[in-house]
Amino acid sequence: MNLNSDIFRIKTNNIEPEKGRILIAEPFLPGSYFNRSIILLASYGEKGAVGFILNKPVDFPVQNLFEDLPEFDADIYIGGPVSTDSVYYIHSLGDKIPGSIHIKENIYWGGDFDALKQQIRMGIVEPDQIRFFIGYSGWAPGQLEEEIQENSWLVSEMKQSEVMSNSKQKLWEKAVKAVGGKYSLWINYPENPSLN
């Protein structure tokens, strides 16, 4: 029986990468960072791209990262392999955090961290309004486009509520199902085909 390898060939779905869209990793993309990952593109342009992995949580309290942060029940995620000694965040607080960069809808990247800590201390920030990341995913100019041509990533859209949700169980599967078509078959393949 011949395997129809066409289901792993990503045909353009007329969705180009841009800020605010997501990248869905093809099912066998190797590496602990990108294996079955969903990445939100926080920046995209001629200088390259920056994104954050949405579905790789770390079992580590956010208070352990910052000495002066009050008790706050927010999750931390691995954002990617670049600059893993730094913490980044996206939020839905808009201009309440000066210096934030708008991504899409009501999703923003970064901003004045002291202002954020102050609002957390005041109890006016909910955990579902912010996502912390250790490191980020980055691409040089032309690199992401090349990886898309090599069938590593499927570009798609995701609602703000799903991006900001701290419930990341099976996010990769949900995103693949949302694209539908032949890609729905991806979820049936084991992460490591040699174990099948």
Side-chain angles (χ1 to χ4, degrees), residues 68-107:
D68 55 346
L69 193 68
E71 188 72 25
F72 190 63
D73 189 27
D75 292 331
I76 303 172
Y77 294 80
I78 294 171
V82 183
S83 194
T84 56
D85 58 348
S86 298
V87 176
Y88 301 87
Y89 58 96
I90 60 172
H91 58 85
S92 60
L93 300 167
D95 57 9
K96 293 179 185 172
I97 307 295
S100 298
I101 299 167
H102 182 251
I103 298 175
K104 75 171 207 168
E105 297 175 30
N106 191 33
I107 302 175

Side-chain angles (χ1 to χ4, degrees), residues 113-155:
F113 190 61
D114 288 330
L116 173 64
K117 288 192 292 188
Q118 179 64 27
Q119 291 183 39
I120 290 173
R121 278 190 206 99
M122 293 167 60
I124 56 177
V125 177
E126 297 296 323
D128 65 354
Q129 292 179 293
I130 188 157
R131 305 271 318 277
F132 291 101
F133 302 94
I134 297 173
Y136 68 90
S137 302
W139 292 267
Q143 184 183 5
L144 178 57
E145 293 81 357
E146 193 174 299
E147 291 180 12
I148 290 170
Q149 288 296 315
E150 293 169 350
N151 299 309
S152 295
W153 303 103
L154 176 61
V155 181

